[in-house]
Amino acid sequence: MNIPNTILTLLAGIVLTLVSLWYGQNHNLLPVAASEEAAHVDSLFNVMLTISIGLVILVQGVLIISAIKYRRRRGDNTDGPPIHGNIPLEILWTAIPAVIVLGISVYSFEIYNEMGGLDPMAAHEHSVNVAHNHNMKGAAIAATLPGSEEPAQTEPRQIALGIGASPGKEGRTADVLVNVTGLQFAWIFNYPDLGITSGELHLPAGKESQLNMTATDVIHAMWIPELRLKQDVIPGRTTELRFTISKIGDYPVLCAELCGGYHGAMKSQLIVQSPEEFDSWVKSQQEIARAETMETAVAINPADMSEGQYLAPYAHEMGMNSEMLSQLHN
């Protein structure tokens, strides 16, 4: 039976679409999604992978079929037909990628906005010379013109580099606030509302958390793959990550920016606990801090100690050495 080429093309298109859709939703290439924001990123990744798989199969399939069907026959030494230009075909292969790229761009924009990454005010930040850095979104800044000591801009501006509050949570304070310091080659986590400093990041599941991050030496990048979040950590600037963790577990905290000879060793751990377990951890850390403070007060007078001597016990608990401590202090 001679099947028309249109039917074969239609069947091939259906099979191609089904295979692409199936693989795009069942690839298992990503680690566990542990945050509410991860679902948005995974959706975008799945769409891009579905389109990519379809294009790969289409292009490779055409190449293989053409190589077999139009191969040179035995004894045929003639040249192929001199074909030059095909306007409809050129329009087709230009229009299809353009539509795909435009669609992905619009979808990416919507996801970035939904996660809280869209901040139009930050787009004009490069036009001024920032004279004084403020840590929080919504803080006022003063800018100076080159060579001038007087502030040239005093009106309030918003600078939020990173992922801030999503549109539905703007104006609300995060449940847990953590100040993060990146330095060669460690992460330091400070909970200003709880009076805790730790070398590990503890956060409660189901609560919105906010990380305010800065660096003391070079550019670092905090990357937590399970949260699908990565953000540069810049000296003299504060970047922000705001998210809600949905799954309890231990996840790696990595530096994704080549920051020096021991960049690969700049790792820590995110420990996600239930709210009750997190409260217990907070109480235990506060009790330890109070006990150490009392012991120190009884044993010695801190006023007689140098900065290095005073900070040494805390640095030891945080896994820091003297070099890290010196860089953090400077």
Side-chain angles (χ1 to χ4, degrees), residues 14 17 65 78 113 119 129 151 176 183 201 238 257 266 272-273 301-303 305 309:
I14 293 174
T17 302
I65 292 174
T78 61
N113 184 36
D119 183 2
N129 177 25
V176 181
L183 69 162
L201 179 59
T238 299
E257 190 78 34
M266 189 170 174
V272 182
Q273 302 166 303
N301 183 1
M305 301 171 64
Q309 292 173 327

Side-chain angles (χ1 to χ4, degrees), residues 27-207:
H27 51 78
N28 294 324
L29 296 177
L30 298 175
V32 62
S35 70
E36 295 180 358
E37 290 74 13
H40 299 293
V41 179
D42 288 359
S43 297
L44 176 61
F45 182 83
N46 291 343
V47 170
M48 296 174 65
L49 187 62
T50 298
I51 296 173
S52 301
I53 291 298
L55 291 175
V56 167
I57 295 176
L58 175 63
V59 172
Q60 296 301 319
V62 170
L63 287 175
I64 293 173
I65 292 174
S66 299
I68 296 175
K69 184 175 181 179
Y70 301 106
R71 69 186 184 279
R72 193 180 69 174
R73 308 296 179 182
R74 184 183 300 275
D76 182 6
N77 295 321
T78 61
D79 295 331
I83 300 174
H84 294 282
N86 187 318
I87 298 302
L89 184 59
E90 292 182 357
I91 293 176
L92 180 65
W93 69 40
T94 302
I96 290 178
V99 171
I100 292 175
V101 171
L102 181 61
I104 292 176
S105 300
V106 173
Y107 190 32
S108 302
F109 181 86
E110 289 297 325
I111 287 179
Y112 193 55
N113 184 36
E114 185 67 24
M115 294 175 61
L118 183 61
D119 183 2
M121 294 300 294
H124 303 287
E125 187 183 8
H126 65 279
S127 62
V128 297
N129 177 25
V130 178
H132 184 66
N133 178 49
H134 290 257
N135 293 336
M136 301 298 295
K137 181 178 181 180
I141 67 169
T144 60
L145 294 173
S148 172
E149 299 297 333
E150 298 297 329
Q153 180 176 341
T154 57
E155 63 182 27
R157 295 182 61 226
Q158 290 182 319
I159 296 179
L161 299 181
I163 303 297
S166 58
K169 298 179 180 177
E170 287 182 345
R172 291 170 48 184
T173 303
D175 298 313
V176 181
L177 177 64
V178 184
N179 293 331
V180 181
T181 301
L183 69 162
Q184 292 175 317
F185 299 94
W187 297 105
I188 306 299
F189 305 101
N190 175 260
Y191 300 73
D193 298 333
L194 305 175
I196 297 174
T197 299
S198 173
E200 294 180 333
L201 179 59
H202 288 250
L203 293 174
K207 302 288 186 180

Side-chain angles (χ1 to χ4, degrees), residues 180-189 198-199 214-221 233 235 255 259-260 262-263 265-267 318-330:
V180 181
T181 301
L183 69 162
Q184 292 175 317
F185 299 94
W187 297 105
I188 306 299
F189 305 101
S198 173
T214 190
T216 61
D217 37 40
V218 299
I219 297 176
H220 303 278
V233 184
C255 178
C259 58
Y262 297 96
H263 156 73
M266 189 170 174
K267 300 177 181 177
M318 295 160 57
M320 298 174 60
N321 55 34
S322 58
E323 182 180 353
M324 296 178 182
L325 186 62
S326 176
Q327 294 178 8
L328 179 62
H329 177 66
N330 294 331

Side-chain angles (χ1 to χ4, degrees), residues 266-324:
M266 189 170 174
K267 300 177 181 177
S268 184
Q269 196 171 25
L270 166 62
I271 301 174
V272 182
Q273 302 166 303
S274 66
E276 295 77 16
E277 293 174 336
F278 177 75
D279 291 340
S280 298
W281 176 79
V282 170
K283 291 179 182 177
S284 67
Q285 295 300 306
Q286 291 174 337
E287 290 175 357
I288 292 174
R290 281 195 295 269
E292 291 180 347
T293 301
M294 293 180 62
E295 290 176 0
T296 303
V298 172
I300 56 177
N301 183 1
D304 299 331
M305 301 171 64
S306 66
E307 293 179 343
Q309 292 173 327
Y310 179 76
L311 295 175
Y314 303 98
H316 177 72
E317 291 291 334
M318 295 160 57
M320 298 174 60
N321 55 34
S322 58
E323 182 180 353
M324 296 178 182

Side-chain angles (χ1 to χ4, degrees), residues 217-275:
D217 37 40
V218 299
I219 297 176
H220 303 278
M222 172 166 280
W223 181 33
I224 307 176
E226 284 75 9
L227 305 188
R228 310 289 193 269
L229 294 174
K230 183 174 77 68
Q231 177 60 48
D232 283 349
V233 184
I234 307 169
R237 298 286 303 275
T238 299
T239 54
E240 174 183 326
L241 279 180
R242 188 160 168 166
F243 51 86
T244 301
I245 302 177
S246 57
K247 290 187 178 180
I248 295 175
D250 297 347
Y251 309 113
V253 178
L254 308 173
C255 178
E257 190 78 34
L258 182 58
C259 58
Y262 297 96
H263 156 73
M266 189 170 174
K267 300 177 181 177
S268 184
Q269 196 171 25
L270 166 62
I271 301 174
V272 182
Q273 302 166 303
S274 66

